[in-house]
Amino acid sequence: MTGLSPTEIGIVEHLRRRQADMAAQVVDWAQVNSGSRNLAGLEQMRQHIAARLTEIADTVATVAPEPAETLDEAGRTVALAHGANLLARKRVACARRMILTGHMDTVFPPDHPFQICRLIEDDRLNGPGTADMKGGLLVMIEALAALEAANAIPDFGWDVVVNADEEVSSLGSAALLRETARRCQTGMTFEPSVTVDGTLASARRGSGNFTAALTGRSAHAGRNPLDGRNAVVTAADLAVRLDALKHEIEGLSVNVARLSGGGANNVVPDRALLSWNMRPVDLAGQQVAEQAIARIIAQVSADHGVTIALAGRFARPPKPFDAKHQALFGLVRETGADLGLAIDWQPSGGVCDGNNIAAQNVAVVDTMGVRGGAIHTDEEFMILSSLSERAALAAITMLRIAQGRLDHALGSAPDMAGVAHD
Ligand SMILES: [Zn+2]
């Protein structure tokens, strides 16, 4: 540890002493099932996390999810249920502040076989949500607790958002993330590193999930087929035309994921449902894609005489690796070097709440959580020693931001706080 101040050394040593407790707690938390649709399990996790945040924050509030909707097979609007979110705030009066976020939900529902943790090597824990991202939640909480125990950032505020629906696009927490980010100049999100050696994600594509519900007209396939309006054929045409956008819009990826509808062979089908994902590289690409979707739906609808209702949007805007982000990542790298850690980064095709935070003109490093891998599979693992390692990296980086190390790159705090980000 070269280049660390006495205060910084004290914080790092404090976090090393916390390693065993953190390792025990990550097992307890990972074994609480909190799949995105398991509201009871999410509530249990919310209480565990709130208890830890209450020890260090000035206020901890439970924030109900925003209403969110999708379309069912019949084209009807149906409500999506999400868990409640947490907002913890410290030194609310400080204009200079940071947003820190993590999600309590996982991709594993209660009936999934992967529910228990096991140590597969000395330092390698296999378990659901260990890396993504209950380990990251602990990294965040312990980093803040270490800073507060040392009274290291008396003139710097922080806001923590822990949401319950990140794995299903944060539809119920997007407004909370947006409003909280607007008060802050910098951010950290505690997703796991991109690779097991600790590499961070730099630029991220945007992402939108869409569902189209098609309503045609049924008819007898033999007696009066021309009276029918075939919703399945229309959905197939729509799928092909949407897929072709990947050749028209630079860098856009399109994944037509699901087409359902129809029934008996002697009936012209009047209902179909089509779902797809699109990932643009930048905001311009997103806007062109939005216009193209609307244009194609209008054309396909007119060509086939079939009504098409659309749900979904680009809920994750693209996250560019701009000058502000480069300054923030540079500070993380420099801090890592002082801690004996080599920090690198690479672009990612994946998306997370970092996309939404960056969209509020906030520089955010969104892979500050544990080192691990194989996330979203039953081989998910985390490196246990990375709990205290990444907590030290987050805490010292945050301390240096609080001390003004990025003020030049980000602009002065009062100006930043007053800027309208729309
Ligand atoms: Zn995650």
Side-chain angles (χ1 to χ4, degrees):
M1 296 192 292
T2 53
L4 295 180
S5 72
T7 301
E8 291 173 342
I9 290 170
I11 288 166
V12 174
E13 286 175 349
H14 170 96
L15 286 166
R16 283 187 185 156
R17 290 194 295 274
R18 294 287 306 146
Q19 172 63 33
D21 283 349
M22 293 171 78
Q25 188 148 48
V26 80
V27 173
D28 288 346
W29 283 10
Q31 293 186 166
V32 175
N33 179 279
S34 57
S36 303
R37 304 289 179 213
N38 177 8
L39 299 187
L42 288 165
E43 175 56 20
Q44 211 181 329
M45 271 314 299
R46 191 196 62 73
Q47 289 175 18
H48 285 308
I49 298 161
R52 290 297 313 271
L53 289 170
T54 302
E55 296 165 7
I56 52 172
D58 292 336
T59 61
V60 179
T62 301
V63 183
E66 293 279 306
E69 297 170 337
T70 188
L71 295 170
D72 71 4
E73 295 267 344
R76 289 177 301 235
T77 299
V78 286
L80 286 168
H82 295 115
N85 310 297
L86 283 171
L87 172 64
R89 307 198 67 201
K90 190 75 169 179
R91 289 178 288 277
V92 172
C94 289
R96 298 176 68 251
R97 49 197 314 117
M98 176 178 270
I99 176 172
L100 299 99
T101 80
H103 61 84
M104 63 179 106
D105 62 323
T106 73
V107 297
F108 303 105
D111 59 355
H112 193 283
F114 188 41
Q115 302 290 339
I116 297 295
C117 294
R118 71 195 172 97
L119 205 57
I120 46 176
E121 279 173 35
D122 269 356
D123 198 23
R124 198 174 272 236
L125 181 73
N126 165 242
T130 48
D132 186 18
M133 59 175 281
K134 287 167 180 173
L137 290 172
L138 282 166
V139 167
M140 173 179 75
I141 291 166
E142 295 281 344
L144 291 171
L147 287 165
E148 296 304 331
N151 192 27
I153 49 170
D155 305 314
F156 192 73
W158 48 259
D159 296 297
V160 165
V161 174
V162 180
N163 57 354
D165 61 353
E166 193 275 344
E167 298 291 5
V168 286
S169 301
S170 302
L171 300 175
S173 56
L176 175 63
L177 287 163
R178 185 173 62 239
E179 296 309 317
T180 306
R182 283 179 177 174
R183 293 193 291 262
C184 301
Q185 297 82 47
T186 52
M188 288 183 182
T189 294
F190 290 81
E191 293 287 352
S193 58
V194 178
T195 61
V196 71
D197 65 1
T199 299
L200 306 171
S202 53
R204 290 184 182 273
R205 288 175 183 231
S207 178
N209 290 312
F210 301 88
T211 298
L214 294 88
T215 308
R217 191 190 311 141
S218 60
H220 191 287
R223 291 172 60 148
N224 60 338
L226 296 180
D227 290 341
R229 296 289 178 269
N230 191 316
V232 170
V233 169
T234 308
D237 187 14
L238 179 60
V240 170
R241 295 202 215 181
L242 289 167
D243 185 64
L245 289 177
K246 67 192 177 194
H247 305 298
E248 292 171 26
I249 300 172
E250 179 79 29
L252 182 76
S253 64
V254 181
N255 185 45
V256 174
R258 188 160 187 267
L259 196 172
S260 62
N265 270 355
N266 59 356
V267 178
V268 175
D270 65 343
R271 299 272 188 200
L273 206 62
L274 183 75
S275 301
W276 70 96
N277 174 263
M278 281 182 177
R279 293 176 188 247
V281 284
D282 54 27
L283 209 53
Q286 175 180 317
Q287 286 160 353
V288 175
E290 282 165 343
Q291 290 159 6
I293 291 167
R295 186 187 69 236
I296 288 171
I297 283 178
Q299 284 169 351
V300 170
S301 177
D303 290 356
H304 294 267
V306 167
T307 305
I308 304 177
L310 178 70
R313 61 197 162 88
F314 286 100
R316 307 282 197 204
K319 183 185 168 208
F321 194 54
D322 56 16
K324 279 178 162 186
H325 279 91
Q326 289 167 33
L328 172 61
F329 279 62
L331 180 61
V332 176
R333 174 177 276 170
E334 187 188 322
T335 303
D338 289 343
L339 292 165
L341 307 170
I343 301 294
D344 207 349
W345 50 80
Q346 64 187 46
S348 172
V351 293
C352 72
D353 288 329
N355 290 69
N356 303 64
I357 294 167
Q360 301 307 315
N361 199 25
V362 173
V364 55
V365 52
D366 58 25
T367 33
M368 285 298 273
V370 296
R371 292 190 287 116
I375 62 170
H376 297 197
T377 78
D378 61 8
E379 299 190 347
E380 176 176 359
F381 68 93
M382 61 164 293
I383 304 298
L384 284 169
S385 59
S386 71
L387 286 164
S388 50
E389 172 194 308
R390 301 288 273 202
L393 181 65
I396 305 304
T397 302
M398 190 171 170
L399 172 60
R400 293 174 175 187
I401 291 169
Q403 290 168 340
R405 287 285 297 277
L406 291 179
D407 285 0
H408 180 71
L410 301 180
S412 64
D415 290 340
M416 291 299 303
V419 166
H421 296 308
D422 280 334

